[in-house]
Amino acid sequence: MADALLLDKPRAPRRPAARRSNFELYSWLFMRISGLALIILVLGHLLIMNILDGGVHRINWGFVAGRWASPFWQFWDLAMLWLAEIHGGNGLRTIIDDYARKDSTRFWLKIVLYVSMVLILAVGTMVIFTFDPEMPAS
């Protein structure tokens, strides 16, 4: 009977108490706050882009150029990009920690994750800030 109540060891190894920090607490808190902010940003984006004033039929080069000519919309899209990327990356980091059994596998998966996050954030940020609304549409 006592053997039936024993649980398997968790997949994620426990770290010694001396190395523990509040990183996971802050990560958990960030996920909740960024999730709420993303709901507002994404629903606002969908409302403006897909529903109001004719919906998706009006989206073209001129619409994007007019939108990104305003610092407000640049900041809106930049905040949406950064929050979504970091929120998703943090979720994937947690999944890697939970399911990767070997330390080396966990290490390389996180390296791939972090490199891809930095590249996507760099390219996305560059596009938002270097977009030239005066460039003629092709």
Side-chain angles (χ1 to χ4, degrees), residues 31-104:
M31 292 297 275
R32 274 51 187 182
I33 294 169
S34 67
L36 290 173
L38 279 168
I39 287 172
I40 294 166
L41 290 170
V42 169
L43 288 178
H45 176 82
L46 290 174
L47 179 71
I48 291 164
M49 300 297 278
N50 297 332
I51 297 173
L52 298 179
D53 295 331
V56 296
H57 301 292
R58 68 176 157 73
I59 298 175
N60 57 22
W61 178 270
F63 178 80
V64 174
R67 181 179 160 108
W68 278 356
S70 164
F72 174 80
W73 291 116
Q74 283 183 328
F75 176 77
W76 184 287
D77 288 346
L78 186 70
M80 194 167 48
L81 168 72
W82 276 76
L83 282 176
E85 184 68 32
I86 296 171
H87 183 94
N90 190 32
L92 282 174
R93 180 195 58 82
T94 303
I95 291 170
I96 290 169
D97 281 342
D98 286 347
Y99 288 101
R101 293 179 184 260
K102 293 172 34 180
D103 287 339
S104 61

Side-chain angles (χ1 to χ4, degrees), residues 96 99-100 103-114:
I96 290 169
Y99 288 101
D103 287 339
S104 61
T105 304
R106 189 176 303 113
F107 172 79
W108 287 110
L109 286 173
K110 284 184 179 180
I111 290 295
V112 169
L113 172 65
Y114 297 148

Side-chain angles (χ1 to χ4, degrees), residues 81-82 116-128:
L81 168 72
W82 276 76
S116 67
M117 286 176 64
V118 167
L119 287 175
I120 290 170
L121 285 173
V123 170
T125 302
M126 185 183 71
V127 166
I128 290 173

